[in-house]
Amino acid sequence: MTQSPPPIAVALHGIAKSFGGERVLSGLSLEVPRGEFLAIVGPSGSGKTTAMRIIGGFEAPDEGSVWISGENVTAVPAERRDVNTVFQSYALFPHMTVIENVAYGPRMRGVGRAARRKKAGELLELVRLSDVGNRKPNQLSGGMQQRVALARALANEPAVLLLDEPLGALDRKLREEMQRELRRIQTELGATFIYITHDQEEAFGMADRLAVMRHGGFEQIGDPATIYDRPVNAWTALFVGSANQIRATLGENGALVSDLGPLAASHVDPMLKSGDPALVIVRPEETRFLPASADAASGPNRFAARLVDAVALGPSLRLRAVTAGGIAFESIERRASSDGIERLPGDAVLVSFAAAAARAYRDEPVANPLRPSS
């Protein structure tokens, strides 16, 4: 028997917003099923925070509508929406104990003392802080305070939890730990999380789906693997991960021609026409630096370069080579090279990649001009 899709927790329809005559969001539409962890990513000024504030009711759209759990809440103020927000600043009440902070929301809703303390205790157990309920916030580490803020936001069982760069103030190790904790909590509760971040690695590690923003709209929405492996355009490909780039031209026979030699790609943008400039993109983990003695004339996607850099990244090695024409390539491989040959800066190598790993897009400017509001 086919399962019905989950109901929609959040829907945006044609959202537009301007500040001081500057258009920040334009025609923004999105549906988030109940129980999904969605990450909205994009550079500064792309509109992420403005979109979140409109969902939360902190800003009103100029056009379009916002729906929460099937209800049109476009004109409903923030305090009456079934939404809570966790910010980068923990915003805990310093004069209250941890358990009092977590119980604050139910208290404001008139929940009895025993019931709200029971709920707060359950949430502190969920975030693994059941032993610090009687402490004050200033007696906790940054990571512990962030977990208290999360528990407090969940206390009223909101239909949607918005998280705006909540881990930005934490050091790298603690941030990685909190990423795992957030994902665990969201999964255990089956809650709907909308996570705002500029950190693609963070988003890829936690989210069920990503919504990539640019110029106040969504460039692509999909699961992390699809967005990384099959980005819709060059801008998205370069934003969501590092990539080697080769400028080329689409020939009359559909072949890609570059100054380095012939190229082959598994995907060629259907908008490209004969004679158009193209940008061929290959991920570093799909790029190999072969010994210079390898046969350079055996096919496309193989050209000479010289190794200039080798950096150990834990179990991996990041290699960088440059062609005679000054085009740089990166390769990421295991520390123990698969061919058993040690590569040293100055060595001649042959850059190589499979056609299946290459994608050709329209060659267009990919810079994202900053806007005064995000």
Side-chain angles (χ1 to χ4, degrees):
M1 183 177 177
T2 303
Q3 284 189 329
S4 300
I8 300 301
V10 177
L12 304 178
H13 297 301
I15 297 294
K17 183 68 179 179
S18 297
F19 292 104
E22 179 76 17
R23 180 59 65 97
V24 176
L25 300 178
S26 181
L28 201 68
S29 295
L30 173 70
E31 288 189 346
V32 184
R34 183 182 298 168
E36 181 173 77
F37 194 131
L38 176 82
I40 300 179
V41 298
S44 297
S46 60
K48 305 184 303 294
T49 297
T50 301
M52 185 213 71
R53 289 179 61 81
I54 286 175
I55 295 171
F58 303 109
E59 297 282 356
D62 298 332
E63 302 172 18
S65 59
V66 181
W67 297 72
I68 306 290
S69 299
E71 177 187 357
N72 188 339
V73 297
T74 310
V76 176
E79 62 272 17
R80 288 175 48 207
R81 293 192 185 185
D82 196 7
V83 177
N84 263 350
T85 307
V86 178
F87 297 99
Q88 186 178 127
S89 58
Y90 314 127
L92 299 174
F93 298 116
H95 63 287
M96 293 183 182
T97 64
V98 165
I99 198 164
E100 288 169 343
N101 265 280
V102 177
Y104 181 78
R107 174 186 166 191
M108 291 297 98
R109 291 193 172 190
V111 177
R113 175 181 170 82
R116 68 178 183 253
R117 287 185 72 87
K118 179 176 182 294
K119 180 68 175 179
E122 291 171 349
L123 286 168
L124 287 177
E125 185 174 351
L126 178 70
V127 299
R128 298 175 177 169
L129 290 175
S130 54
D131 58 341
V132 301
N134 293 322
R135 295 188 194 178
K136 295 289 181 65
N138 64 4
Q139 296 175 297
L140 305 179
S141 68
M144 295 169 79
Q145 290 185 54
Q146 188 58 276
R147 281 185 278 168
V148 174
L150 177 63
R152 186 177 67 178
L154 292 167
N156 284 331
E157 300 180 357
V160 181
L161 187 67
L162 305 175
L163 301 103
D164 186 18
E165 300 276 7
L167 309 183
L170 305 180
D171 63 57
R172 182 176 180 84
K173 185 175 181 180
L174 187 54
R175 186 169 181 148
E176 290 174 351
E177 178 183 326
M178 280 301 301
Q179 289 170 16
R180 292 190 292 271
E181 283 295 288
L182 281 173
R183 182 70 222 207
R184 176 187 65 82
I185 291 165
Q186 185 269 338
T187 301
E188 288 188 18
L189 293 176
T192 305
F193 280 17
I194 298 180
Y195 194 95
I196 311 297
T197 182
H198 68 277
D199 187 326
Q200 303 95 316
E201 184 177 343
E202 184 171 274
F204 273 89
M206 292 191 294
D208 298 311
R209 282 195 307 159
L210 305 181
V212 183
M213 286 197 77
R214 180 192 186 197
H215 297 328
F218 291 126
E219 290 286 303
Q220 186 172 2
I221 301 173
D223 64 86
T226 297
I227 287 180
Y228 187 80
D229 295 333
R230 298 190 295 278
V232 294
N233 53 32
W235 185 90
T236 303
L238 297 176
F239 178 74
V240 300
S242 59
N244 294 314
Q245 307 171 50
I246 311 167
R247 286 187 158 76
T249 302
L250 187 67
E252 292 183 3
N253 58 355
L256 292 161
V257 181
S258 76
D259 291 342
L260 296 174
L263 301 173
S266 61
H267 169 84
V268 177
D269 190 330
M271 298 297 291
L272 282 171
K273 298 179 177 60
S274 177
D276 283 352
L279 188 66
V280 177
I281 288 177
V282 188
R283 300 293 185 194
E285 60 270 23
E286 300 289 348
T287 305
R288 295 290 174 264
F289 294 166
L290 305 176
S293 59
D295 182 6
S298 60
N301 303 346
R302 295 163 73 87
F303 26 83
R306 190 165 296 279
L307 192 66
V308 296
D309 194 65
V311 178
L313 301 172
S316 300
L317 193 65
R318 185 183 67 197
L319 305 170
R320 186 168 177 267
V322 178
T323 68
I327 300 175
F329 290 88
E330 280 194 355
S331 174
I332 296 177
E333 60 180 48
R334 293 173 304 175
R335 290 279 292 275
S337 175
S338 58
D339 56 23
I341 298 175
E342 184 179 9
R343 295 164 180 77
L344 300 173
D347 286 354
V349 296
L350 191 67
V351 177
S352 175
F353 52 87
R359 298 177 69 83
Y361 300 97
R362 295 178 63 190
D363 190 2
E364 57 184 347
V366 296
N368 185 28
L370 298 183
R371 294 169 183 266
S373 173
S374 64

